[in-house]
Amino acid sequence: MAIPKPVFDPPFNVVRFSHLECDVVDLEEAGELYRDVIGLAVSSESPRGMHLRGMEERNHHSLVLRRAQAPVARALGFKVHGKADLDRAEEFFGARGLEADWVERSRMGRVLRVRDPWGVPLEFYAEMDRLPPTHQKYAAYKGVKPLRIDHVNLFMPDVDSAVEFYAEIGFRITEYTEDPESGRIWAAWMHRKGSVHDIAFTNGKGPRVHHIAYWVPSPLSIIDLLDIMSTSGHLEKIERGPGRHGISNAFFLYVRDADGHRTEFYCSDYLTVDPEHEPIKWDLQDPTRQTLWGAPAPRTWFEEGMEFAGVEPVDPEFAGTPIIAP
């Protein structure tokens, strides 16, 4: 597939990936992990749910946990530049036969809820309650010292089509993996804010959430979290890492909560703000794309993800074979 050309004047202006809303079965257990072990700050909480954020974040929340009977992902949130962009987004999705509705959300202004062509629930907003800065309150830093949310990665049954659709609304490819036999895209990393990605797509049964990611100060922060988790009863929640990705150059660790939600903690990627930035192509069978040091990902990495509420995942259109750890 030919990589789509960047769209520098998109139909509406997405600033960045903003937040994930998801359901958890045991809110108390999830709260203990994300608040006390990982170190996210609690913006608000009730018996029904919890809003959390990173230490640099002025927006009220970047992760919303809801108490429920079963774990699912509810919505991916994206911040747009201004109110007029919300109206333009409504027009864009409506013109493509994709239903768009205005919904009420706690601590937020107007919110436009839509579904992309694969059923992924997206919510766009321009305003969210702002909180006082906490990035220099170092005594409050805990766990991995999460600073800010960075991106979301999705399993998609047709990555080529997903790349085409999201490129149309201004997301630009930074890196991608191509299956050498079919010439199709196995995975792609796309950005709006000028880092490696705000959203990424991985070939697989979907749509499902593969993971969200928080930016952390340094690799030593990840080592600290490993020490904390391994000595506080959370060792089994460490799924993959630490390591350094070939793709993005990021130092990483992946953790899964009791409900299976996967979160990446990472640092050390690079800027992509230049308009002439050229996408980097990787071969699916290159072992250094997964981890620069050569260690392959576990099978769970390619098979397990979080379903979206009300969306039935479908099998991928092609079966490229990545390198999997024995």
Side-chain angles (χ1 to χ4, degrees):
M1 170 189 167
I3 299 302
K5 294 182 178 180
V7 176
F8 294 109
D9 186 22
F12 57 98
N13 187 359
V14 177
V15 174
R16 61 180 177 86
F17 173 61
S18 167
H19 59 274
L20 168 72
E21 180 175 336
C22 59
D23 290 352
V24 295
V25 175
D26 190 331
L27 181 63
E28 288 72 24
E29 181 177 4
E32 189 265 338
L33 175 66
Y34 288 103
R35 176 192 61 228
D36 301 330
V37 177
I38 290 169
L40 289 172
V42 176
S43 300
S44 61
E45 61 181 320
S46 73
R48 296 172 299 177
M50 180 179 297
H51 293 73
L52 304 110
R53 70 188 191 281
M55 298 304 293
E56 279 188 1
E57 293 178 322
R58 299 288 302 276
N59 269 9
H60 182 266
H61 56 268
S62 54
L63 178 62
V64 182
L65 305 176
R66 304 286 190 192
R67 188 192 303 275
Q69 296 298 313
V72 292
R74 288 283 173 187
L76 306 180
F78 291 86
K79 183 178 177 63
V80 300
H81 186 267
K83 297 178 181 179
D85 289 296
L86 295 174
D87 297 316
R88 287 192 282 267
E90 181 185 30
E91 181 179 353
F92 171 85
F93 286 101
R96 284 150 184 80
L98 301 170
E99 186 176 350
D101 299 303
W102 299 101
V103 296
E104 296 290 330
R105 290 291 179 263
S106 174
R107 309 286 182 161
M108 300 168 69
R110 296 172 72 209
V111 176
L112 181 70
R113 182 178 176 89
V114 304
R115 290 187 183 271
D116 74 8
W118 300 271
V120 176
L122 309 173
E123 294 187 349
F124 298 96
Y125 75 98
E127 297 177 325
M128 182 186 289
D129 286 0
R130 302 282 285 176
L131 299 174
T134 58
H135 63 280
Q136 290 183 318
K137 294 185 178 179
Y138 295 109
Y141 281 42
K142 297 184 295 184
V144 76
K145 304 173 184 176
L147 298 182
R148 58 186 178 271
I149 201 165
D150 187 82
H151 64 263
V152 61
N153 188 309
L154 303 180
F155 281 121
M156 293 294 277
D158 183 357
V159 174
D160 295 271
S161 296
V163 166
E164 289 182 347
F165 178 82
Y166 281 83
E168 190 176 358
I169 58 177
F171 287 83
R172 295 159 54 193
I173 289 184
T174 54
E175 305 198 27
Y176 66 102
T177 300
E178 185 177 271
D179 176 48
E181 294 185 5
S182 66
R184 300 190 63 162
I185 297 177
W186 167 267
W189 289 253
M190 307 184 77
H191 80 93
R192 283 297 298 165
K193 65 180 178 300
S195 62
V196 171
H197 50 326
D198 284 276
I199 192 167
F201 305 106
T202 299
N203 186 69
K205 187 174 183 178
R208 294 178 294 161
V209 176
H210 188 281
H211 70 266
I212 62 168
Y214 277 89
W215 176 271
V216 303
S218 75
L220 289 177
S221 302
I222 289 174
I223 301 302
D224 287 341
L225 181 61
L226 285 162
D227 287 339
I228 293 169
M229 293 186 68
S230 64
T231 56
S232 62
H234 297 281
L235 180 63
E236 77 286 353
K237 295 183 175 68
I238 299 169
E239 180 187 33
R240 183 184 176 201
R244 183 179 296 281
H245 287 308
I247 294 172
S248 82
N249 193 53
F251 194 87
F252 68 85
L253 176 72
Y254 292 88
V255 170
R256 300 185 72 183
D257 67 17
D259 290 299
H261 299 292
R262 181 184 288 114
T263 305
E264 178 186 17
F265 303 100
Y266 91 122
C267 57
S268 307
D269 67 351
Y270 56 90
L271 291 177
T272 59
V273 294
D274 292 344
E276 69 274 23
H277 174 81
E278 297 177 353
I280 299 171
K281 176 182 173 181
W282 293 81
D283 189 292
L284 182 59
Q285 298 306 315
D286 184 344
T288 64
R289 74 174 193 90
Q290 289 186 8
T291 308
L292 191 62
W293 307 333
R299 184 168 297 278
T300 57
W301 177 259
F302 300 103
E303 296 180 353
E304 297 180 9
M306 189 57 57
E307 294 186 10
F308 288 102
V311 182
E312 185 67 30
V314 299
D315 290 332
E317 294 187 2
F318 83 105
T321 305
I323 299 172
I324 301 174

